[in-house]
């Protein structure tokens, strides 16, 4: 086990990539608290699934876009398990639409969850990791859509590009205190979030990807585990793209 | 509390905050040049001193951030002016300005942040 008895928080943990991260971290021995907003049934099922597999996972309800949630969750986890070693900021939403029709609400919702939420959780975690423990791992889940943009995603691209820049800047401040901050940029992954596009575009998407398949949540989770493991001890401020080659931009013959 | 006792506790604080060895910390040690302190460490040191000694340290009192902000009245040609030195004397009454005054290069101003400065500052804050 790579992460035996480490204490982790995963936001957006009940479904998709977040769920896979919770399972993968727990499988490596970490005790994982995961934050979910609305999917209470999925959260309860994940708690049970992890327990059945011999791991420890605890669901905590909360909206990451609420400025108080990060502090509350970090305090609850430290009270429960005594420390905090790993933070995976995964919670994310999309509100796609052409820019000329994009409402301020669609902008605010995406920035609030995807970027503000990362700030609130990192801010709370830094008090523990940077100021008290002088150790910790932060992994932010970004997206290839930050740099390889799609029409209709000005809000989403801005939020994920913000995460990438934030990751580098925070890494510099935390480095001396043995807290690493990295990001993962998933490509097209089979999740609820991508379901609408998958239903519409179907096989065309897989054809655009050099590896000829969409990613699974577990493909991302394994890289998150790597970034939290001793193997990545000397990496910080980096963005790892995990997309089956999609962002290479090759015309696939 | 005697100066020696204060120094002993300050030393503990610095060893914990900066992950340095006990014997690296002397009264003459400069926090940046000798003990590799970064800005975040200064913040941490203040928190730890407050806890250790049960005192309140106002922001900018012990370690004034950017004392002059490049004000030309205080700094000219990379050197602190006489007016700047008197400002420093006021802002940092416990700093060893006698040595600094001999060659008051602005980029050496961090050398004023020494362990001795902290000990004298703490002594002034504790009830006699």
């Amino acid at each position: 086990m790579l992460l035996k008895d480490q204490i982790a928080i995963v936001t957006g943990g009940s479904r998709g990539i977040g769920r896979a991260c919770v399972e993968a971290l727990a499988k490596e021995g970490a005790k994982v608290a995961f934050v979910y907003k609305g999917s209470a049934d999925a959260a309860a099922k994940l708690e049970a699934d992890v327990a059945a597999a011999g791991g420890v996972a605890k669901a905590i309800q909360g909206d990451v876009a609420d400025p108080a949630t990060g502090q509350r969750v970090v305090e609850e986890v430290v009270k429960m398990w005594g420390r905090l070693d790993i933070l995976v900021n995964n919670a994310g939403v999309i509100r796609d639409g052409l820019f000329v029709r994009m409402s301020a609400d669609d902008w605010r919702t995406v920035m609030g969850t995807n970027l503000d939420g990362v700030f609130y959780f990192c801010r709370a975690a830094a008090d523990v990791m940077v100021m008290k423990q002088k150790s910790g791992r932060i992994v932010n889940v970004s997206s290839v859509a930050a740099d390889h943009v799609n029409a209709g995603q000005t809000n989403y691209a801005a939020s994920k590009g913000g995460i990438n820049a934030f990751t580098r800047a925070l890494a510099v401040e935390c480095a001396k205190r043995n807290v690493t901050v990295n990001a993962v940029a998933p490509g097209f992954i089979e999740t609820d979030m991508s379901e609408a596009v998958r239903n519409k575009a179907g096989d065309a998407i897989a054809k655009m990807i050099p590896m000829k398949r969409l990613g699974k949540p577990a493909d991302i989770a394994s890289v998150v585990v790597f970034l939290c493991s001793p193997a990545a001890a000397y990496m910080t401020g980096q963005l790892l793209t995990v997309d089956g080659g999609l962002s290479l931009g090759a015309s696939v013959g | 509390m005697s100066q020696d006792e204060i120094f002993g506790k300050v030393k503990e604080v610095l060893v914990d905050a900066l992950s340095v060895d006990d014997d690296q910390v002397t009264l003459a040690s400069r926090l940046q040049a000798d003990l590799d302190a970064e800005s975040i460490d200064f913040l941490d040191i203040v928190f730890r001193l407050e806890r250790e000694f049960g005192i309140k340290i106002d922001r900018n009192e012990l370690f004034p951030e950017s004392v002059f902000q490049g004000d030309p009245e205080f700094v000219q040609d990379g050197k602190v002016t006489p007016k700047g030195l008197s400002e420093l004397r006021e802002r940092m009454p416990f700093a060893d300005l006698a040595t600094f005054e001999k060659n008051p290069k602005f980029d050496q101003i961090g050398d004023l942040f020494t362990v001795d400065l902290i000990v004298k500052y703490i002594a002034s804050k504790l009830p006699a």
Side-chain angles (χ1 to χ4, degrees), chain A residues 130-132 134 172-174 176-177, chain B residues 16-17 19 36 38 40-41 44 48:
Chain A
V130 178
M131 302 310 279
K132 298 204 177 85
K134 288 197 262 184
V172 169
E173 285 196 32
C174 298
K176 192 188 166 203
R177 295 189 158 231
Chain B
D16 288 343
S19 307
D36 286 334
E38 294 180 355
I40 197 165
D41 297 322
D44 192 16
R48 286 170 191 264

Side-chain angles (χ1 to χ4, degrees), chain B residues 17-58:
Chain B
L18 301 171
S19 307
V20 290
D21 290 335
D22 209 61
D23 56 9
Q24 280 178 269
V25 184
T26 67
L27 280 173
S29 306
R30 296 162 298 175
L31 298 185
Q32 285 165 297
D34 299 322
L35 303 177
D36 286 334
E38 294 180 355
S39 46
I40 197 165
D41 297 322
F42 282 97
L43 197 66
D44 192 16
I45 291 165
V46 168
F47 290 154
R48 286 170 191 264
L49 289 172
E50 287 185 329
R51 265 203 310 268
E52 181 67 41
F53 291 98
I55 55 173
K56 180 89 193 89
I57 299 175
D58 286 338

Side-chain angles (χ1 to χ4, degrees), chain A residues 36-242:
Chain A
Y36 70 98
K37 191 165 93 176
S39 315
D41 292 346
K45 181 166 187 313
L46 178 55
E47 269 187 338
D49 287 352
V50 169
V56 178
K58 161 109 176 101
I60 299 177
Q61 198 281 331
D63 178 359
V64 300
D66 179 334
T69 304
Q71 187 66 34
R72 170 172 65 83
V73 171
V74 168
E75 275 175 16
E76 194 174 328
V77 167
V78 170
K79 198 171 161 204
M80 189 164 54
W81 289 326
R83 50 186 291 121
L84 176 61
D85 302 294
I86 294 165
L87 168 64
V88 180
N89 285 302
N90 165 77
V93 293
I94 47 170
R95 291 289 183 279
D96 290 359
L98 288 180
F99 184 68
V100 292
R101 293 170 59 183
M102 184 172 288
S103 69
D105 259 4
D106 288 342
W107 174 267
R108 204 48 256 153
T109 299
V110 169
M111 296 305 278
T113 297
N114 297 13
L115 190 56
D116 297 355
V118 172
F119 166 76
Y120 299 134
F121 271 77
C122 285
R123 182 66 191 74
D127 277 342
V128 181
M129 293 178 173
V130 178
M131 302 310 279
K132 298 204 177 85
Q133 293 174 182
K134 288 197 262 184
S135 74
R137 300 292 175 91
I138 296 173
V139 180
N140 297 322
V141 178
S142 179
S143 169
V144 291
D147 295 319
H148 302 270
V149 297
N150 303 304
Q153 290 199 322
T154 46
N155 49 2
Y156 189 72
S159 71
K160 295 300 188 178
I163 285 177
N164 297 349
F166 173 85
T167 297
R168 291 189 287 268
L170 182 60
V172 169
E173 285 196 32
C174 298
K176 192 188 166 203
R177 295 189 158 231
N178 199 27
V179 176
T180 69
V181 189
N182 292 290
V184 175
F188 227 103
I189 310 300
E190 289 174 7
T191 62
D192 294 346
M193 188 192 273
S194 68
E195 193 180 7
V197 185
R198 278 188 285 127
N199 288 342
K200 230 180 344 184
D203 293 346
I205 296 166
K207 281 189 181 144
M208 282 161 39
I209 299 171
M211 291 185 81
K212 298 297 174 204
R213 69 169 177 91
L214 273 58
K216 305 260 185 220
D219 291 322
I220 306 305
S222 59
V223 177
V224 170
V225 166
F226 160 70
L227 287 171
C228 297
S229 77
Y234 197 53
M235 272 184 74
T236 196
Q238 302 304 305
L239 172 66
L240 289 183
T241 299
V242 187

